[in-house]
Amino acid sequence: MSADSLATPLGGSLNWIAVWRRNYLAWKKAALASLLGHLAEPLIYLFGLGAGLGVMVGHVDGVSYTAFLAAGMVATSAMTAATFETIYAAFGRMEGQGTWEAMLYTQLRLGDIVLGEMAWAATKAALAGVGIATVAAVLGYTQWLSLIYVLPVVALTGLAFASLGMVVTALAPSYDYFIFYQTLVITPILFLSGAVFPVDQLPFVFQTVARFLPLAHAIELIRPIMLGHPVVEVCFHVSALSFYIVIPFFVSTALLRRRLLR
């Protein structure tokens, strides 16, 4: 592994596809189990909270609570799938399996690997998110046509959380540290972003915090699409998600370069 492979951000504009393809070929051997794993938790939330709280809550913003929750779970499944792919699978390929080291002996550069890992995590996020949206469509909580418009937003959400996850991967000394990220960051994001209940029902301080959370921006795009409502401030929400993609990408690449040069 040469210093140039770490120093040069990207070896080529499409080199990341080789990393994506490698991960896809490894994943497809256990694709069904992987998909079920990513769908399980959001579906438990959807049916558990939807059936339980839905009876007590009734309607939220003019729709049934289950329909309101389903849109939140689409975004949540994308967040969860992308996060777990980067903080566990990507970390394993970097630290334990030596996959990254082998890649860096080729024409690939560190930036290619990071971008490829992010793209693969976004792919899994898109599969998980569309899976939940499909269940919602089957149950009549959204229109089938909405899945076409939801897919790009889900992929963008996956990229945002994959980029954030790569920063955590770059900083974590071992797998044990990921539990702190899950408990102290991902779980609060879930409950503060409007996935389970409306943000405007939160105290003002938490409403302010929610405006800066990537999941909140994803939900503000996905929920109106799935419920057939007008989507407002599209450029603002897309720009916010893009910010969470671009800035953490460069931060994680710099941190990983420093880590691998030790």
Side-chain angles (χ1 to χ4, degrees):
M1 177 172 56
S2 66
D4 289 341
S5 62
L6 295 174
T8 307
L10 293 170
S13 60
L14 298 179
N15 281 5
W16 60 269
I17 295 177
V19 181
W20 183 95
R21 184 173 182 274
R22 181 266 164 209
N23 290 344
Y24 164 72
L25 293 174
W27 168 81
K28 73 175 186 178
K29 301 174 184 177
L32 182 60
S34 176
L35 286 173
L36 291 176
H38 288 305
L39 291 173
E41 185 176 358
L43 285 175
I44 290 172
Y45 273 108
L46 178 60
F47 291 113
L49 292 177
L53 287 178
V55 175
M56 296 184 290
V57 174
H59 288 73
V60 178
D61 295 337
V63 299
S64 71
Y65 177 69
T66 306
F68 174 89
L69 182 65
M73 289 302 102
V74 170
T76 299
S77 64
M79 173 184 72
T80 304
T83 298
F84 275 70
E85 181 62 27
T86 47
I87 68 174
Y88 285 107
F91 184 86
R93 289 188 283 269
M94 175 188 69
E95 194 70 20
Q97 302 170 16
T99 306
W100 284 23
E101 183 178 0
M103 290 178 177
L104 289 170
Y105 278 106
T106 69
Q107 70 269 28
L108 294 175
R109 299 296 181 258
L110 181 59
D112 300 326
I113 296 174
V114 174
L115 190 57
E117 293 284 3
M118 287 171 52
W120 172 241
T123 302
K124 294 190 72 174
L127 291 172
V130 171
I132 299 295
T134 301
V135 173
V138 169
L139 297 176
Y141 294 118
T142 188
Q143 298 295 320
W144 284 101
L145 186 61
S146 69
L147 272 64
I148 299 174
Y149 301 102
V150 162
L151 178 59
V153 183
V154 171
L156 198 65
T157 305
L159 277 173
F161 280 97
S163 191
L164 290 169
M166 291 306 299
V167 175
V168 179
T169 295
L171 293 172
S174 67
Y175 287 105
D176 298 331
Y177 287 80
F178 293 138
I179 190 63
F180 298 111
Y181 182 61
Q182 292 174 241
T183 305
L184 301 177
V185 178
I186 296 300
T187 299
I189 285 177
L190 167 63
F191 289 106
L192 291 175
S193 298
V196 180
F197 40 75
V199 173
D200 57 17
Q201 299 298 314
L202 295 171
F204 177 75
V205 173
F206 292 138
Q207 290 185 39
T208 303
V209 171
R211 296 179 187 275
F212 295 92
L213 300 177
L215 185 64
H217 293 286
I219 292 173
E220 287 295 328
L221 292 170
I222 292 172
R223 182 167 282 141
I225 293 173
M226 292 186 63
L227 298 181
H229 297 164
V231 184
V232 297
E233 297 184 319
V234 175
C235 293
F236 171 68
H237 296 305
V238 171
S239 298
L241 288 173
S242 300
F243 172 86
Y244 279 104
I245 294 169
V246 175
I247 301 302
F249 166 76
F250 288 107
V251 172
S252 64
T253 303
L255 290 172
L256 287 164
R257 182 181 300 114
R258 186 178 66 178
R259 177 176 184 147
L260 295 174
L261 283 173
R262 289 176 185 171

